[in-house]
Amino acid sequence: MTSSFSDDTTFTPADGLEISEVPDGRVIYQAAKERVHYFNPTAIVVFELCGLGHNLGEIGVFLRDAYDLDAIPAEQVQDCVKALVGEDLLRPSSP
């Protein structure tokens, strides 16, 4: 799997994704691979914040504040983003 990304890395959603809401999160259909991905509410927040141009550090702070956590969930954000990159749903943005 991809090595860790720096906190200032930003990402862009892949082309050709169809996003649909479902009761417990979102479903993303990836036409190029004919795959369906089920996202829980936290994963979709990470995905959408990436799509809005936020970097990993900003996403970690957002999640800490939104979920009233004691610490920034940096490792969990890294793991989530690495999985999304590995599935070709996100790609690192060019600086």
Side-chain angles (χ1 to χ4, degrees):
M1 190 167 258
T2 307
S3 62
S4 293
F5 298 104
S6 68
D7 280 350
D8 62 349
T9 304
T10 58
F11 296 85
T12 304
D15 294 328
L17 302 178
E18 296 175 30
I19 303 171
S20 301
E21 286 194 45
V22 294
D24 58 346
R26 302 259 172 80
V27 173
I28 296 182
Y29 175 65
Q30 189 177 26
K33 292 187 173 189
E34 295 186 2
R35 293 197 59 193
V36 175
H37 304 271
Y38 297 91
F39 282 51
N40 66 33
T42 304
I44 199 65
V45 167
V46 171
F47 180 81
E48 288 181 349
L49 289 173
C50 284
L52 292 171
H54 293 279
N55 65 42
L56 294 183
E58 293 168 337
I59 293 169
V61 169
F62 179 89
L63 292 174
R64 180 199 63 200
D65 295 346
Y67 291 104
D68 197 26
L69 303 173
D70 292 332
I72 294 172
E75 184 176 338
Q76 292 85 354
V77 172
Q78 281 280 341
D79 290 346
C80 181
V81 170
K82 281 193 254 182
L84 295 172
V85 169
E87 290 292 332
D88 296 323
L89 297 169
L90 287 177
R91 59 182 167 260
S93 298
S94 301

